[in-house]
Amino acid sequence: QKKNESEGVIFLEEYDIRAKELQNRAVIAGWNYQTNLTEENAKKQVELNLEVAKFSKDVATDASEYDWENFSNFTVKRLFSMITTLGTAALEDEEKLEEYNNLLSEMEEIYSTGQACEYDDPETCLDLNPDLEDCMADSTDYNRLLFCWEGWRDAAGRRLADPYTKFVELSNEAVRADGWNDTGEYWRSWYETADFQQQLENIYQELQPLYQNLHAYVRRKLIDTYGAEMVNAEGPIPAHLLGNMWAQTWGNIYNLVIPFPNKPSIDVTDEMVRQGYDARRMFNLSDEFFREMGQIPMPDSFWERTMYTRPDDREVVCHASAWDFYLDNDVRIKMCTKVNQEDLVTVHHEMGHIEYFLQYAHQPLPFREGANPGFHEAVGDLLALSVSTPAHLNKVGLLPELVDDPEVDINFLMQMALEKIAFLPFGYLIDQWRWRVFNGDITPDKYNEEWWKLRTQYQGIVPPVPRNPDKDFDAGSKYHVPANTPYIRYFVSFVIQFQFHEAMCSLSGFSGELHKCDASAGAMKEIAGSRLAEMLRMGKSQPWPEAFEVLTGSRAMSAAAILQYFAPLIDWLEKQNENETLGWDNGWTPPYDC
Ligand SMILES: O=C(CCC(O)(O)[C@H](Cc1ccccc1)NC(=O)c1ccccc1)N[C@@H](Cc1c[nH]c2ccccc12)C(=O)O
Ligand SMILES: [Zn+2]
C-alpha cells in the first residue's frame, strides 16, 4: 500500500530542509576546490559529491514509496518526478562513482593549469587566462597566433583525450542505471520538449544565411590583412585568425573589419582603462543596472565573498562561473576579470545567473533551476543588450554623445554581430558532437576527425596546421568539454535573449528599431522589470513555455527577434557581398609552412 498525497507533502517539506543543508556543504566544497586547486580540496569535493549521490539515491527510494504518479496536485507531482530522476547519481557501484568524480576533478585541474611554453625559452610559460587569450585577441602575426593556438591544444587538449574517453563510458553507464539511453538523452530531457532537436535545426537553418554573409564579409577583410594565399576567398577561414582561442566570438577582430573606419566605434575598453576601472567597479556598474531594471540588488555577502580577479598565490579555475549556496542568500561569482569590454559583458552574464538565484530562492530546492538551461544563460545577456547600446554607454559616461548616423549604426551592429551571430554555429555544434559521442555514433578514434568535420561544416573554419588523429583532442581545449558542462544552452540563450529583449522593450514603452532599445530608458521600465522578475521567480516550477509566456506572450523559440534586431546589417552585408562567394569549399586547407 503506497503512501498518500498528504503524507507526500510532509515528505517534501522534510526533504527540502535536508537537501538544502547537504547541497550547501557540497557547493562549499566545490567553491573551495575551484578557488584553490589542491589535492586535499579535490578529495573533499569528491567526498561531498559522493555523499550527495548517496542521498539522492536514498531519497529517490523513499519517494517511490508514495503513490505520486496518481497525486492530483501538479506541483507535488512535479517535485516527486524530479526527486526520483537521478541522472548520473544512479551509478550503483561506489568505486565507479568515485572514479567518475575523480576524473571530473582531474580534468578540471589539467585544463585550469595547462600552459604553453615559448619555443625559444622553455622557462617562459603562458597561462590560458590571461596570456594565451590576450595573444589570440591582440596579435595579428599569423605565426604568433599559430604558436598560441597550437600550444594550448598541445597543453590541454592532448592531455584530456584519455580521461575524457573513460569519463564518457562511466557517464553513460551511470545514466543508463536511471533508464536513459545515453548522457545526451538525459541532458536533452531538461528541455521537456519532444521535438527539441528538430526545433533547434529549424532555427539554425533560418539563421545560417546571416552567418554566411558575416563569414564572407569577415573573410574578405582577413584577406586584406593576411593575404590571399593564407585566406582563400572561397574557402574556410584558418581557425586562429578570428580573435578568439576557439573562434567562438569574433569581437576582438572588430578593428580589422570595421565597416566605416572614419566613424566612431563602440569599443569602451580604452575608456574603461582611462577612467581607472577595476573589476569591482565593473561589477558595481552591472549591479546598478539590475537595480535600475527593478531586480534584486546583490546582498552584502556577495561583495565580500566573490572572487573578482585571478589570485597570484594559488591555482584556481579561471573560467567564470556563478555560485548558489542555497542557504542564507549566499551567492557568489568566481571570475579572473580583465578590464575590457568583453569582460564587462561577461560580468553582466554572470550577474544574470546570480539574479536568477535570488529571484527563485523561495522555491523548493528542485525548482531552483532555470525554466530550461537556456533561460539561465540568457538573463545577464538580456540586460547587457540594453547596457551595450551607445545611448546607455553614453549615459554611464563610457562613450561620448553619438550623433544619429546610419553608418555609426552599422558599426554598432557589426560589433554586436561579431559577438552574437558569429557564435551561433559554435553554440550549435559543440553538443551536436557531444550527443553523438555519448550515443556511440562518434567513437574515440574518430573524436578529432568528426570534431573538425563539424567545425568546418558549421563555422566555415579550418585548422591552421594538420591535426594528428591519434594525439590531438581539440574538443578538450574548450572548457565545457572537460568540465562536462552542456553547451546547447548557449545556442538557446542567444536565440531567446532577443525574444526577451523584444518583449522587455515593448513592455517598457520603447518604440523604434530594436537594436537601439535600452529598456532602462523606457517610460514604463517598471512594468518590464516586474514582468521579468515574475518569470525568473518561477524557476523550474513549470515547463518552460509557461514561464516564457509570462514575459514574451509566446510559447516557442523563434529566430524572428534576432533577425529583426540585425535587419539593417543584413541589408548592408548583402550589398557588400554582391560579388562574394557565400559559404566555403570544405576541402580547402591553408599552406602549412607560412
Ligand atoms: O561559459 C560561459 C560563461 C560561464 C557560465 O556562466 O556560463 C558558467 C559555466 C559553468 C557551468 C558549470 C560549472 C562551471 C562553469 N555557468 C554558470 O556559472 C552557471 C551557474 C548556475 C547555473 C547555470 C550556469 N560562456 C560560454 C558562452 C559564451 C561565449 N561568449 C559569451 C558571451 C556572453 C555570454 C556567453 C558567452 C563560453 O565562454 O564559451
Ligand atoms: Zn552562464
Side-chain angles (χ1 to χ4, degrees), residues 248 319-322 349-350 353 377 381 478 480 485 487 490:
Q248 67 184 56
H319 196 89
S321 53
H349 176 87
E350 298 307 326
H353 289 309
E377 300 307 329
D381 290 13
K478 177 59 195 169
H480 297 67
T485 304
Y487 211 81
Y490 300 105

Side-chain angles (χ1 to χ4, degrees), residues 184 188 197 200 431-439 488:
R188 292 189 297 275
Q197 289 180 271
L200 294 170
D431 282 349
Q432 299 302 323
W433 177 84
R434 225 172 352 184
W435 291 339
R436 289 174 53 205
V437 164
F438 283 132
N439 73 14
I488 201 66

Side-chain angles (χ1 to χ4, degrees), residues 94-111:
E94 267 287 311
E95 260 176 54
K96 284 184 178 175
L97 196 58
E98 183 152 358
E99 187 185 2
Y100 172 89
N101 281 288
N102 283 333
L103 282 168
L104 274 174
S105 58
E106 275 157 39
M107 291 194 290
E108 193 90 74
E109 198 266 345
I110 290 169
Y111 185 93

